[in-house]
Each structure stands twice: as structure tokens, then as C-alpha cells.
Amino acid sequence: MSAQGHDEELRSERDRLADLYTRLDAERARAQREYESALGGTGGTPMERDVRVRASATAMKRLKVADDGLCFGRMDALSGEHSYIGRIGIFDTEDDYTPLLLDWRAPASRPFYVATGANPEGMRRRRQFHTRGRRLTDFTDEVLGRVGGDDGAAAGGDAALLSAVNAPRGEGMRDIVATIQAEQDEIIRLDHPGVLVIEGGPGTGKTVVALHRVAYLLYTQRERMERHGVLVVGPNPAFLDHIGQVLPSLGESDVVFMTPGDLVPGLHVTAEDAPDAARAKGSPAILDVLAAAVADRQRLPEEPIPIELADTTVRIDAATAEWARDEARASGLPHNEARPVFTEIVTYVLTERATARIGRGWLTRSDRDAWADLRADLTKELAQHEAFTAALDELWPVLTPESLLGSLYSSPERLRAAGADPSLARTDGEAWTVSDVPLLDELVDLLGHDPAAEEAARRAVEREVRAETEYAAGVMEILTMDREELDEDLGVAVGDLTHGDDLADRFVVRDNRELVERAAADRDWTYRHVVVDEVQELSEMDWRVLMRRCPGRSFTVVGDLAQRRSAAGATSWATMLETYVPGRWEYRSLTVNYRTPAEIMAVAAALLAEFAPDVAPPESVRACGVEPWSRHVTGEELPGAVEAFVRDEAGREGTSVVIGPPGTPGAVPPSETKGLEFDAVLVVEPERTLADGPRGAADLYVALTRATQRLGVLHRGPLPAALAGLGPEGRSGRSPEHPA
């Protein structure tokens, strides 16, 4: 294409994009009107009005994401037709809804991502746009279907990809909607109803691929998935902040983000157990310990417990308690919900004994009504008897997961009685760790709810509704009030209300929280799809929690077995998954490293070969031209060297981080950088990190692979042999090369 032809094409494409933005603005205005109309509407039931408001609000959110990069490409077919690809779909409403812009997730958009010279997918040319805000600055073309074309077209796919991976990192992960590669697209669009495992080394884009797959599933299965939402589980809060804008940038907001320490509502923990305790808590064998701990609290009295009634004294002996315990356990109900069965048996025995004693001598067998009245009075007296309630609390207490587990950890006697590993003992029983979360969640089901508390809550709600209805009915009786004044006070025309219940509905407090808020606060909420990052760290007990959250077993999980640091984590995918989804999980791998340049990956690969020799490192897509370096420092020199790095990087564009062993001043532990990326990384004292055995080797591998441009290492002790490839600080590097 000549320079003049290029300029003419650029002007034409700018006009095209301007038209698309005009139509986008019109769509936004229409959505805004519908939202305002829904807010002020009075027709239909309150639930129907609420649905309209939420639907129009969701439509507005989806349209807000498209300002930057609304349209990022064009496909030219061999037939001569061309199609534009973008973040959302836009249609010509005046021409039978002809598509003007294809949503990147639409089936018709797939050739844009997967076409190659050898397999052009019916395409003649792929054009990729370069934009800044709403302005088109340039475009690159890639001619398909032939090798060595004579029109001088650029390899647009490589150009766009390299521009993206070489760009300085900002705050948070960016979507890759404009540069999805063929191997990534295949995974994103994979139609698999079970668990999809995506494994890839550092920088292979497994996380962002999983998030784009969520966006794709929400697009293709919106009706099924949207009402229940999607759960995304990441290793730490920093990681969740890093990825938090990817799905909103793709127009999807009904997504709940959690760490493994957040999976029990109201509990947020980040502390880790020592390896032995983590291994014990993550094993399914802990289920027997929990069951035994619950059974241990269902006790028999060592001595009969006296209950002094008004006319006699009865005793709860071991035989009575044992009968009641056997019946309660045989009910199959959770512990707390079985307490009424236990209570009923004990109450029956005590009332029978008391009735016989009190009625002896003045009631005969024929006085059936009197006997029945006496039993009823005694039953009522026991229900209100403080000593009897205290005895029940001793023999069959109402337990919470926190009270049971905390008292188990802090009591050597209870640990022994439950057959628990001694490593679980700790002074502060309720100093929760991440490994405690699945145990607490398990105990929710083992213990069940407190029926008495639930009944009290139900009655309170009934009283509130009854009071509101009575109040509303009283308002309706004020017929002498001026009609216009009444309409203004109530915010609704009296003629529209025919009953006190209708008016009461105006006063009832409704749950107006967004789906994300409601789901995060509800332990029993179930999701249609779950994404788990760093899945190699999950224990078998963690998997039980997640399976409860997603009964449909629809998961996208991403990880790298070589980066496993948890003693309870996965050693193989089959070991973890066959128990829960036998024959319903698929494995896919990503092999291209888009983050870590070849110079840095060579150093990390040497370490990988030492601690995981069977794992092949991912192949870097680029070189950066800057060699990683190392420098020996003394303890006195270390703080100054770190400050110098921070000061130097502050004057550069992009992001940087100092990574070191836990407790190192000014450094972030490797575990807190998992999944993150920075333009520059300084690794401090790798020899100390490596000294932590297999977990330390995995941590150091993570630390070395966070950098996208520059890597430095400061060591006080001898440089580990695996890092011998690091040259001295200041060594010049080669120029960046275009990957083959």
C-alpha cells in the first residue's frame, strides 16, 4: 500500500470508528433513559420493578467499558466482505440489526484470532488498529494465505503482541482482548462443562486466559450463569487487586473475588501454618478428627445431674443420656439440629419419673386426663428450668464452628480424644490460619444451624411484617386527609393502592444489595462457575469447600505444579480431581512466556532444572536486551543498595518491587507476588529463600520470574549455584530481537 493509499485508508477507518462511537453514545443514552424510567416506574410488583432496575443498570455498566479500544480490528474475507471486531457488539437498528461491530466473543470473530498464513480461515487480511482513547492513530495489516507477500504488509499480529508485552506495566492486569493468541483462543472458547485445568509456567498468560474464558462463558451462557454469578479465587489480596479490572473492562461485573481465607463469610485470614500442620489440616483424614471432636462434645454425665422441680427432684443419669444420645445420633441430623431429639428423650424420661412420683397415691390409672395434664405441666416446667437447660448445655451443647475448633486446638486432651495430629496444638485456639478455613466450613455442615435461634429470628421478622401491615392499614383509614397531600406524603397515588398490604410494601426494607455483595455474605450461595488461580496450592480440603460452592462442578483452574509451595497442595492434577469429577476434567497447557524476557528466563530455567528437572520452562516470546545481574553486599551495604534501586526505578516509567525472605525490611515476600508482574524486580538474599527447602525453591522461582524488563539480585551469602548465570551489575546486554 502506498503512503497516499495508507493515508486514505486511515481517514476512512477514522470515519468508521467515529460512526461506531456515535452509535455507542446513542445506545448509552437509550440505556440511561430506560434506567431512569425503571427507577421511577410504578407498574408491576415490587420484584418486577426491581428486576427492571437491575437489568437496565447492568446494561449501562456494559456500555461504559467500551470507550478505550471499542474497535480494535478488521477482518477482510476472501469473498470481499469485511467485518469489524471490538469489545461489544453494535448493530444497525434501522437495517434489520445488521452487525456493524462484532463482539470479540461471537463465533464470527474467531478467525481474527486463529487465522494463520497456512490456515487463513477464509480471510485475506487481518487489520489491527492502534488507538488512543477514541482516536485511531494507525493500523497494521497482515496478509494471510500466502508466504512472502509482495505488498510489504507488516506481520500485524506480532507487531501488536510485542507492543503490548513490551509496554510498561501500570496498575493492575490489562485485558488481552485485542491480542489473544491462537493457543489462548482455543482454551477461552473450549466447550467443556466440567473442570478445565490450564497449566503454564510463569508469564504464559494462564490467569488472563481464565478471566477471558469467564467473559466468554457469560456471553454464551448468560441466562444460566448471570443470576448466580461467578466466583474467582486468588492467592492473596494483592493478586485480586491486580486482576480486579480485567472482567469489568470486558463488561462483566457479576463476579465475586475472594482469597482462600475469605471463603467463610465474616472470616478473613492470611496467616499460614507450619508445613506439618498445613499437611494435617489439608488431608481428608482430618474429617475423622472433626467428626470425633463433635462426638466428644456429646457427653454422658459422670455422676447423675439433679434437677430440682417444684414437687420433686429428678436426675439425669448416664443411662438416660446414653439413650438420648443414641437416638439423636441415629436421626442423621447435624449436631445442633439433633439437640431437640436429645432434649425430647431426656425430657420424656424425667417427666415420666416425676409424674410417677408426684401422682403416686392420689391418681389412679383411670385418671388419664389428670396424668396428661401433669405431664404437660412438668414438660413446661423443664423447658423453663435453668438447671435443666444448663445440664443440656453440658451434655449436648449448641456449638459454633469457631468454638468447637478453637477449643480443640487449645486442649491437648481434646486433641488426643479426637485422634488429631499433635502439630495442630496451639495456645490461642482461635488464631485462625488459611488452612483452618476449610475445616470451619466443614463444621458448618457437621454442626448445622441452631433451631432455637432460627425460630426466634423467624418470629422477629413476622412481628415486623405484621406491625408494618397494621401501620399501613391505619394509614389507609385516614380518608379525610386531602388526597393530594396524602399522595405527596406517600410518594404514590392512593388510587393505586387497594389494600394495607400494598402500602406496607412501600415500607418494608428490601435487600437492595448487588449480586456480588449478597453472594459474598452468604455461605450457602452457589455459583454457576468458579475460577481458581494458583490452584496447585489448594489442599484436598480446600477442594471440598469449592465443590460445595459450585454443585454443577463447572470450573476453570489455573496453576503450575512447579510453583507449588504448600505442603498440602497438589502433586498431580488427577490425584486432586478424580475424587470429585471422575472423567469430567480436561487438561490444557500454555507454553509461550509473554511476560519474562529470554535473558531473565534463562536464569529462572536453571533454578527450575535443579528443583523440578522434569518440568520444561516456557519459551519466552521476546528478548529485552538487558541482562539480569547480581551483586554481593555486606549487611551494612544492603539497605543502601535497596534504597538505590528504589530511587533509580522511581525515575522510570512502569512498576518495580523488592522481593525478599519474610521479615526483610523494605521487601515483599515471594508468596505475596504470585501472579503479579513488574517492569523491574530486585531479589534480595536468594540464599535465605532457597534455604527453606522445596518451598523456598518454588518461592525463589516465583521471585525471579516477576520481571518484564529488568532483574537484579543482591546476596549477602554465597550466590546459589543455580544462579551462576547471573553476571555482574552493569554488564551490557544485547539488543531486543524479534522472536522467530
Side-chain angles (χ1 to χ4, degrees):
M1 185 182 299
S2 65
Q4 180 179 354
H6 180 276
D7 290 344
E8 290 176 356
E9 279 282 288
L10 184 59
R11 283 193 294 271
S12 174
E13 299 291 27
R14 282 175 174 167
D15 290 341
R16 177 76 179 199
L17 263 65
D19 177 64
L20 290 174
Y21 275 112
T22 298
R23 293 175 184 272
L24 173 66
D25 291 338
E27 278 291 298
R28 286 176 171 171
R30 180 190 59 78
Q32 180 70 33
R33 290 193 298 271
E34 290 184 358
Y35 177 70
E36 292 172 354
S37 174
L39 277 179
T42 58
T45 66
M47 182 175 293
E48 290 170 340
R49 292 195 297 271
D50 185 60
V51 168
R52 288 198 299 270
V53 170
R54 292 180 185 273
S56 56
T58 299
M60 289 175 60
K61 288 180 182 178
R62 291 204 180 104
L63 291 171
K64 284 181 179 178
V65 306
D67 265 310
D68 190 10
L70 170 63
C71 175
F72 50 78
R74 170 179 137 180
M75 299 186 298
D76 292 357
L78 292 172
S79 63
E81 297 179 350
H82 56 257
S83 305
Y84 288 84
I85 315 298
R87 292 180 174 276
I88 63 172
I90 293 180
F91 302 88
D92 189 341
T93 57
E94 298 177 358
D95 186 16
D96 199 24
Y97 283 86
T98 301
L100 302 175
L101 182 67
L102 291 174
D103 191 299
W104 67 274
R105 297 166 287 191
S109 299
R110 189 168 185 270
F112 182 80
Y113 295 110
V114 301
T116 64
N119 297 290
E121 301 281 338
M123 287 173 54
R124 178 179 64 86
R125 178 173 60 186
R126 172 169 43 218
R127 173 169 290 177
Q128 293 187 302
F129 296 138
H130 311 294
T131 59
R132 181 172 299 166
R134 289 192 169 199
R135 179 174 174 77
L136 175 64
T137 59
D138 203 353
F139 63 82
T140 53
D141 284 345
E142 181 181 5
V143 176
L144 302 166
R146 54 180 173 168
V147 179
D150 58 5
D151 63 355
D158 283 350
L161 175 63
L162 289 174
S163 175
V165 298
N166 280 315
R169 267 45 186 175
E171 295 298 325
M173 179 180 283
R174 296 169 293 194
D175 66 63
I176 58 169
V177 64
T179 58
I180 294 172
Q181 301 301 292
E183 71 167 359
Q184 298 172 330
D185 186 81
E186 179 185 355
I187 294 172
I188 289 170
R189 297 176 192 268
L190 186 64
D191 183 17
H192 178 66
V195 177
L196 174 63
V197 178
I198 306 173
E199 184 167 28
T204 52
K206 51 188 180 292
T207 299
V208 75
V209 166
L211 295 175
H212 281 67
R213 183 165 192 256
V214 169
Y216 175 77
L217 292 174
L218 284 167
Y219 176 80
T220 58
Q221 305 176 30
R222 189 167 302 283
E223 185 175 347
R224 185 182 75 86
M225 294 181 64
E226 194 170 44
R227 285 176 296 179
H228 286 257
V230 172
L231 172 64
V232 175
V233 180
N236 53 61
F239 174 83
L240 296 181
D241 288 342
H242 180 63
I243 69 171
Q245 289 306 308
V246 173
L247 284 167
S249 76
L250 299 173
E252 306 299 346
S253 57
D254 291 332
V255 180
V256 177
F257 292 89
M258 291 185 180
T259 69
D262 301 327
L263 288 170
V264 172
L267 198 69
H268 176 75
V269 295
T270 58
E272 295 184 359
D273 278 303
D276 286 347
R279 189 180 295 108
K281 293 178 183 180
S283 168
I286 197 70
L287 294 171
D288 293 334
V289 173
L290 296 179
V294 173
D296 185 54
R297 303 300 294 272
Q298 300 164 356
R299 310 185 72 87
L300 305 179
E302 295 181 1
E303 298 290 338
I305 302 174
I307 307 296
E308 296 184 5
L309 301 175
D311 298 313
T312 189
T313 297
V314 290
R315 288 173 172 78
I316 305 175
D317 54 32
T320 299
E322 185 175 20
W323 177 28
R325 184 179 68 178
D326 290 346
E327 291 294 325
R329 289 177 176 176
S331 71
L333 294 171
H335 171 84
N336 291 333
E337 295 169 32
R339 174 172 159 131
V341 178
F342 181 86
T343 302
E344 182 181 10
I345 297 297
V346 175
T347 300
Y348 168 77
V349 172
L350 296 191
T351 54
E352 285 297 306
R353 291 173 180 173
T355 299
R357 294 174 186 174
I358 296 171
R360 184 184 299 120
W362 65 278
L363 289 176
T364 66
R365 291 184 178 181
S366 60
D367 297 325
R368 295 182 178 179
D369 290 343
W371 285 109
D373 290 342
L374 180 56
R375 288 191 185 93
D377 290 342
L378 288 168
T379 299
K380 184 177 181 180
E381 184 179 358
L382 282 173
Q384 300 172 349
H385 200 289
E386 292 184 2
F388 181 63
T389 300
L392 293 176
D393 290 341
E394 178 183 345
L395 301 176
W396 197 286
V398 173
L399 299 170
T400 66
E402 293 82 1
S403 65
L404 176 71
L405 197 58
S407 62
L408 176 67
Y409 290 154
S410 60
S411 169
E413 294 80 12
R414 284 179 174 157
L415 284 172
R416 283 194 297 271
D421 191 303
S423 66
L424 302 187
R426 65 189 185 211
T427 303
D428 184 354
E430 297 193 6
W432 305 120
T433 68
V434 174
S435 301
D436 290 325
V437 172
L439 277 59
L440 291 167
D441 190 72
E442 195 76 37
L443 285 168
V444 172
D445 289 342
L446 281 176
L447 297 176
H449 302 288
D450 179 1
E454 289 189 340
E455 177 63 17
R458 185 186 65 80
R459 290 178 178 175
V461 171
E462 287 182 349
R463 287 195 298 271
E464 181 180 356
V465 172
R466 187 163 52 248
E468 296 290 359
T469 303
E470 291 173 355
Y471 171 75
V475 172
M476 293 295 291
E477 294 177 0
I478 309 176
L479 300 178
T480 57
M481 182 181 294
D482 180 77
R483 176 64 56 84
E484 293 184 0
E485 182 179 347
L486 183 59
D487 289 352
E488 181 178 352
D489 287 346
L490 298 177
V492 62
V494 173
D496 293 338
L497 303 172
T498 59
H499 193 273
D501 291 343
D502 298 325
L503 185 57
D505 187 64
R506 293 276 167 170
F507 296 93
V508 174
V509 177
R510 301 189 180 281
D511 188 348
N512 293 318
R513 295 174 298 171
E514 296 291 335
L515 179 145
V516 169
E517 296 177 274
R518 288 182 284 125
D522 185 355
R523 182 262 176 184
D524 295 322
W525 189 279
T526 58
Y527 300 88
R528 286 293 182 263
H529 193 75
V530 175
V531 175
V532 186
D533 206 294
E534 303 294 345
V535 70
Q536 74 277 355
E537 307 297 346
L538 296 190
S539 69
E540 292 180 79
M541 290 298 294
D542 289 321
W543 272 107
R544 288 177 63 87
V545 178
L546 294 174
M547 290 296 171
R548 280 192 284 270
R549 302 297 189 271
C550 187
R553 305 293 197 261
S554 178
F555 285 78
T556 300
V557 302
V558 299
D560 180 10
L561 291 178
Q563 296 186 56
R564 178 179 68 89
R565 64 187 306 275
S566 171
T571 54
S572 78
W573 303 122
T575 300
M576 281 295 181
L577 296 174
E578 278 297 323
T579 301
Y580 303 106
V581 283
R584 286 193 61 222
W585 65 279
E586 286 199 22
Y587 175 86
R588 293 290 187 275
S589 64
L590 293 170
T591 59
V592 179
N593 189 331
Y594 300 100
R595 176 206 302 146
T596 318
E599 297 91 338
I600 295 175
M601 197 61 216
V603 176
L607 174 64
L608 181 67
E610 190 171 279
F611 80 92
D614 296 333
V615 179
E619 182 179 355
S620 296
V621 75
R622 67 190 174 98
C624 68
V626 179
E627 294 289 346
W629 54 266
S630 67
R631 175 155 60 97
H632 180 269
V633 294
T634 65
E636 292 74 18
E637 294 171 333
L638 180 60
V642 171
E643 291 176 7
F645 169 83
V646 173
R647 186 169 55 250
D648 181 55
E649 289 299 330
R652 297 174 182 258
E653 186 179 7
T655 59
S656 63
V657 68
V658 179
I659 305 177
T664 303
V668 179
S671 61
E672 294 184 15
T673 66
K674 299 194 80 168
L676 307 183
E677 56 184 27
F678 306 87
D679 291 271
V681 172
L682 180 67
V683 177
V684 176
E685 297 190 275
E687 66 276 15
R688 285 180 53 203
T689 299
L690 203 55
D692 196 15
R695 180 163 69 172
D699 277 349
L700 184 55
Y701 183 59
V702 168
L704 294 174
T705 54
R706 299 306 96 193
T708 66
Q709 302 290 343
R710 301 176 295 281
L711 171 68
V713 173
L714 298 176
H715 57 102
R716 294 173 57 190
L719 186 68
L723 304 186
L726 286 167
E729 185 178 8
R731 182 176 61 172
S732 61
R734 61 185 182 275
S735 299
E737 299 173 359
H738 192 286

